[in-house]
């Protein structure tokens, strides 16, 4: 019997993340790791992964897991693994190995289906050139899956979200609209061709981050996931003490995004995101606001690059078959209050 995995979870993929403002409260009294001098990147700037100095290189460590984003078990495992490895690439690193995190409702879904999830994750890890070396599992009320991943990065190639400079140009390496299509799937409204395109995007490794990190003019990198483009751009703004302008018509967007929006397929994570940071998002058009807050699963890399590096970045993106048009720029923050403005 085939099971539609998305029917066994309350959310879909990165759309099930805790909202940014709630996460802020959770972490506010948890302390910090500033007493460890070799911890080069911790959680102080909400970066994608931790980086620890070990000799002349950095060890990158991250974890990411979520509820089913698609119905097929193999596809779910593959997408979840690619999404987790994205954090390594977003720091400019190369993954070394991963271990699996599995929660499974044993009384609702066959263990063989869980095996297909793990098989999909192993396929993604093999594409990245790393072993899926072990993991941990628990009996849980709804299915979850992800990875804890370890990577390495030369110290002079570490890219943090706090490095952006005023005047930097912004690029996004994958189209927006994943939250819309996955919600449409849960509602039985998605077209197979549209879903196929979205799945190809979610399965594409962000290994281009390792190449971009070697471009000196690239000042900051982050990946776009559950907080939407606006949420992750705001984290970059706050970490760098800047604001940003976006030209909406230049954003890479799946051609079917507006159609699913018109069908009412905005995920619950969109509303949570807007409640968290909507006051800092100075777009008035409802569709534009919705799309900028749309939770992405295994989304693209957001790249902040000095103007003199634009041609090299665009060439690198083009060779990787990624969108390569600048979508906006970083600017000085008005009144010390970071925000995202129409450009």
């Amino acid at each position: 019997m085939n099971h539609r995995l998305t029917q066994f979870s309350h959310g879909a993929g990165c759309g099930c993340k805790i909202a940014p403002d709630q996460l802020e409260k959770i972490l506010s009294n948890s302390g910090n790791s500033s007493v460890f001098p070799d911890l080069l990147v911790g959680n102080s700037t909400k970066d994608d992964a931790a980086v620890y100095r070990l000799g002349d290189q950095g060890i990158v460590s991250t974890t990411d897991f979520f509820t089913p984003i698609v119905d097929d078990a193999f596809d779910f495992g593959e997408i979840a693994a690619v999404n987790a490895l994205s954090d390594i690439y977003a720091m400019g690193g190369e993954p070394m190995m991963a271990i699996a995190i599995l929660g499974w409702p044993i009384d609702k879904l066959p263990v063989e289906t869980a095996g297909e999830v793990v098989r999909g994750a192993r396929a993604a890890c093999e594409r990245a050139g790393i072993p899926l070396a072990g993991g941990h599992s628990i009996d849980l009320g709804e299915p979850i899956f992800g990875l804890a991943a370890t990577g390495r990065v030369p110290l002079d190639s570490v890219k943090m979200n706090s490095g952006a400079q005023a005047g930097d140009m912004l690029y996004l390496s994958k189209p927006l609209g994943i939250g819309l299509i996955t919600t449409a799937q849960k509602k039985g409204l998605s077209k197979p061709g549209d879903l196929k395109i979205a799945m190809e995007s979610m399965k594409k490794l962000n290994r281009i981050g390792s190449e971009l990190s070697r471009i000196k003019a690239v000042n900051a990198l982050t990946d776009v996931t559950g907080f939407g483009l606006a949420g992750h751009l705001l984290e970059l703004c706050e970490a760098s003490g800047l604001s940003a302008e976006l030209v909406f018509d230049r954003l890479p967007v799946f051609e079917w995004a507006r159609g699913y929006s018109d069908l009412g397929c905005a995920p619950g994570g969109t509303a949570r995101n807007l409640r968290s940071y909507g006051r800092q998002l100075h777009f008035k058009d409802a569709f534009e606001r919705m799309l900028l807050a749309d939770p992405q699963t295994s989304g693209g890399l957001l790249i902040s690059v000095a103007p003199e590096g634009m041609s090299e970045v665009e060439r690198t993106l083009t060779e990787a078959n990624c969108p390569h048009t600048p979508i906006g720029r970083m600017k000085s923050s008005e009144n010390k209050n970071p925000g995202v403005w129409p450009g």
Side-chain angles (χ1 to χ4, degrees):
M1 178 180 178
N2 292 326
H3 295 86
R4 294 184 59 197
L5 290 186
T6 58
Q7 303 306 304
F8 290 85
S9 62
H10 73 284
C14 287
C16 68
K17 289 178 70 170
I18 293 174
D21 59 340
Q22 295 172 323
L23 182 60
E24 184 78 28
K25 292 178 182 177
I26 292 172
L27 297 176
S28 61
N29 294 315
S30 65
N32 61 62
S33 303
S34 59
V35 296
F36 299 93
D38 287 321
L39 182 66
L40 303 181
V41 184
N43 64 3
S44 61
T45 59
K46 306 173 187 175
D47 226 316
D48 297 293
V51 180
Y52 192 91
R53 178 176 24 230
L54 191 63
D56 61 354
Q57 69 176 350
I59 299 301
V60 189
S61 181
T62 186
T63 185
D64 206 312
F65 54 88
F66 49 60
T67 54
I69 185 71
V70 291
D71 287 326
D72 182 80
F74 184 95
D75 290 337
F76 171 41
E78 187 174 5
I79 291 168
V82 170
N83 179 77
L85 295 177
S86 181
D87 288 341
I88 302 288
Y89 295 124
M91 302 305 299
E94 290 278 0
M96 298 163 56
M97 68 174 183
I99 55 176
I101 299 166
L102 173 70
W104 203 252
I106 297 297
D107 59 337
K108 298 175 185 176
L109 287 168
V111 293
E112 292 81 5
T113 305
E116 281 294 291
V117 175
V118 176
R119 193 169 72 88
R122 194 177 301 280
C125 288
E126 288 176 355
R127 284 199 288 120
I130 66 169
L132 182 58
H136 185 71
S137 61
I138 61 172
D139 186 355
L140 197 64
E142 61 181 332
I144 64 167
F145 185 78
L147 300 179
T150 302
R152 59 183 162 223
V153 60
L155 293 181
D156 61 357
S157 294
V158 175
K159 298 297 180 181
M160 299 170 60
N161 65 2
S162 58
Q165 302 292 317
D168 280 3
M169 302 302 293
L170 295 170
Y171 295 81
L172 180 63
S173 69
K174 289 185 183 182
L176 299 173
I178 292 295
L180 287 163
I181 186 73
T182 54
T183 303
Q185 182 189 23
K186 283 180 69 72
K187 292 184 174 185
L189 298 174
S190 61
K191 296 179 180 179
D194 297 341
L195 190 60
K196 181 176 182 292
I197 292 170
M199 288 178 61
E200 288 173 352
S201 178
M202 288 188 283
K203 290 182 178 183
K204 183 175 182 177
L205 290 162
N206 276 329
R207 64 171 82 232
I208 192 176
S210 302
E211 299 176 51
L212 292 168
S213 73
R214 296 193 288 270
I215 300 175
K216 296 299 184 183
V218 172
N219 289 322
L221 277 176
T222 192
D223 67 337
V224 177
T225 56
F227 296 160
L229 172 60
H232 292 284
L233 177 53
L234 279 166
E235 288 183 338
L236 190 149
C237 287
E238 290 165 0
S240 302
L242 301 170
S243 285
E245 289 181 345
L246 292 178
V247 181
F248 188 84
D249 290 343
R250 292 184 181 176
L251 295 178
V253 179
F254 290 111
E255 62 181 17
W256 34 253
R258 188 178 288 272
Y260 288 119
S261 175
D262 291 343
L263 290 175
C265 293
T270 301
R272 289 195 298 273
N273 285 340
L274 286 173
R275 283 195 297 270
S276 295
Y277 59 68
R279 66 190 180 281
Q280 295 171 274
L281 183 57
H282 302 284
F283 282 71
K284 303 302 181 185
D285 180 86
F287 174 70
E288 294 178 358
R289 287 175 62 83
M290 183 280 303
L291 191 65
L292 290 170
D294 184 51
Q296 304 302 289
T297 297
S298 193
L301 295 177
L302 180 61
I303 308 146
S304 181
V305 56
E308 62 269 22
M310 291 173 62
S311 60
E312 189 174 1
V313 165
E314 290 174 12
R315 182 172 61 253
T316 302
L317 290 169
T318 301
E319 291 173 351
N321 196 28
C322 294
H324 53 272
T325 300
I327 62 171
R329 67 183 181 94
M330 303 300 294
K331 65 173 190 175
S332 297
S333 183
E334 299 180 11
N335 301 320
K336 306 296 183 182
N337 182 30
V340 178
W341 306 77

